[in-house]
Amino acid sequence: MAKRRLAMTAALAAFAIALTGCSSSDSSADGFVGVILPDAASSARWETADRGFLQAAFDAAGVKVDIQNANGDKAAFQTIADQMLSAGAKVLIMVNLDSDSAKAVQDKAASQGVPTIDYDRLTLGGSASYYVSFDNEAVGKLQGEGIKACLDAAGKTSARIVYLNGSPTDNNATLFKAGYDSVLRPLIDSKAYTLVDDQAVPDWDNAKGGVIFEQQLSKAGGKLDAVVSANEGLGLAAVAVLKKNKLNGKVCVSGQDATVDGLRAILTGDLSNTVYKAIKAEAEGAATLAIALLKGEDATTATGSVNNGAIDVPSVLLVPVGITKANVKDVIADGFQKKEDVCMGIEDLCTANGL
């Protein structure tokens, strides 16, 4: 199943590249595309994956792009957008820090005739021309299914669990929670599982996540069976606390993003499951749409739509893949991470798990 899904994302990526097909001479004359990434702290992906994949996609098409990072600062996000618009950006791609600040940028861009693309995170109430992301509720379902599978494998028909949710200002975090709660809620309602605590982590701050989880573990009296954490940054923050209490490897912990550290933690047993999102396909999908907007063409890749509370936004939603020890090798085979990075110092574990 994982290989089939990986093949689907690879096919989408190839389709995006094929549609891009424009030369450097005719596209660069049309202006440039501005990209605003959210931060470098909540997840390693923004700088280690998205930036490079976006740059490569635009370079391959001969389109000028300016990629900047707001570093978690909403005022900086606004300033970067203003500077890009003043410099002549014809399209903006953005990963919002929250919907209100991103909506203000989108409204200003729209007043200047500049279309915007929501990348990875939907701007509620915004005016984006397109939305490119993954099926984020499906991401959460995979997290919940992975936690249940881990508990089942341990023979636990009853379990004490906590939710360590993402930022309350990120619509994706809301969707992730809706997904894993849809899997786990029936077990909570039946009293098979006890939801000891349910907390959101402001701004996806991993340090705050560690503090919040320490409080959750204390509330649980040190007795927990699972931590449903919304990404690997938060999951690894929880693992650090579990290690201090000699509980790591004994508690199921979910993640998301398939980072090097996350995959290593899967192999060592500190994380039970994570979710791989083919970011290369996501970046190439956003680049394809941006180039179509730049050239005044219709984009045929947006085959769905998502309502942002104000409008139905034409959307490209890619398929996420659940990852456990059994298929870490598929992430490596897909070229998302390098075997030598994941396996450094844990070569025996890699060999045992088919890497």
Side-chain angles (χ1 to χ4, degrees):
M1 178 63 75
K3 289 183 179 178
R4 182 177 68 81
R5 286 174 171 170
L6 287 170
M8 290 175 65
T9 54
L12 280 165
F15 185 49
I17 292 170
L19 284 174
T20 299
C22 49
S23 70
S24 63
S25 58
D26 64 2
S27 58
S28 60
D30 294 331
F32 74 94
V33 177
V35 179
I36 311 175
L37 300 176
D39 62 71
S42 66
S43 175
R45 63 165 285 190
W46 303 116
E47 288 295 332
T48 63
D50 295 84
R51 178 185 285 274
F53 289 138
L54 285 162
Q55 185 72 55
F58 285 108
D59 286 350
V63 173
K64 182 180 177 183
V65 64
D66 179 14
I67 304 175
Q68 297 191 43
N69 196 310
N71 290 313
D73 186 329
K74 286 181 281 189
F77 190 100
Q78 177 73 61
T79 299
I80 291 169
D82 287 345
Q83 290 172 345
M84 288 178 171
L85 291 170
S86 296
K90 300 301 183 185
V91 183
L92 291 182
I93 297 174
M94 61 181 66
V95 188
N96 70 48
L97 290 170
D98 68 8
S99 288
D100 288 344
S101 59
K103 180 182 183 302
V105 169
Q106 291 182 346
D107 289 346
K108 185 168 186 177
S111 72
Q112 299 181 26
V114 175
T116 55
I117 296 172
D118 273 335
Y119 181 69
D120 202 72
R121 298 174 182 170
L122 185 67
T123 299
L124 300 179
S127 55
S129 299
Y130 292 102
Y131 171 48
V132 182
S133 189
F134 290 81
D135 182 336
N136 290 306
E137 192 162 333
V139 170
K141 286 180 180 178
L142 289 171
Q143 292 172 320
E145 289 165 0
I147 288 290
K148 183 180 183 302
C150 176
L151 291 169
D152 288 349
K156 295 183 178 180
T157 55
S158 63
R160 291 164 58 79
I161 69 175
V162 296
Y163 287 175
L164 192 62
N165 309 305
S167 175
T169 60
D170 180 357
N171 185 60
N172 279 5
T174 301
L175 296 173
F176 301 149
K177 181 180 178 180
Y180 50 72
D181 192 65
S182 72
V183 174
L184 301 172
R185 181 57 56 178
L187 292 156
I188 295 168
D189 288 345
S190 72
K191 310 299 184 186
Y193 291 178
T194 300
L195 182 59
V196 176
D197 199 38
D198 178 0
Q199 296 290 331
V201 180
D203 303 319
W204 291 97
D205 186 305
N206 296 331
K208 291 178 183 175
V211 171
I212 290 170
F213 176 67
E214 202 148 21
Q215 295 167 349
Q216 290 182 316
L217 184 60
S218 177
K219 183 176 180 178
K223 296 179 180 179
L224 272 183
D225 298 294
V227 184
V228 188
S229 52
N231 76 352
E232 287 169 8
L234 299 180
L236 292 173
V239 166
V241 175
L242 292 171
K243 284 182 176 179
K244 286 197 301 183
N245 290 274
K246 302 187 185 306
L247 292 171
N248 61 303
K250 302 175 183 177
V251 178
C252 300
V253 184
S254 64
Q256 175 193 172
D257 289 336
T259 63
V260 167
D261 288 342
L263 294 179
R264 288 172 61 84
I266 291 284
L267 293 169
T268 60
D270 290 325
L271 289 182
S272 54
N273 59 289
T274 190
V275 179
Y276 169 49
K277 301 185 297 188
I279 295 171
K280 186 172 187 284
E282 184 182 23
E284 289 172 347
T288 298
L289 293 173
I291 291 164
L293 289 169
L294 198 67
K295 296 170 67 67
E297 297 175 352
D298 290 333
T300 57
T301 50
T303 56
S305 68
V306 175
N307 189 278
N308 69 5
I311 59 172
D312 290 326
V313 185
S315 302
V316 176
L317 298 178
L318 303 177
V319 180
V321 180
I323 299 295
T324 64
K325 285 183 182 181
N327 61 343
V328 167
K329 59 183 180 291
D330 290 342
V331 181
I332 306 297
D334 207 39
F336 185 66
Q337 302 294 0
K338 295 178 180 178
K339 177 181 174 179
E340 54 266 34
D341 295 335
V342 173
C343 295
M344 186 180 298
I346 55 169
E347 288 83 2
D348 289 349
L349 286 174
C350 283
T351 300
N353 287 281
L355 273 75

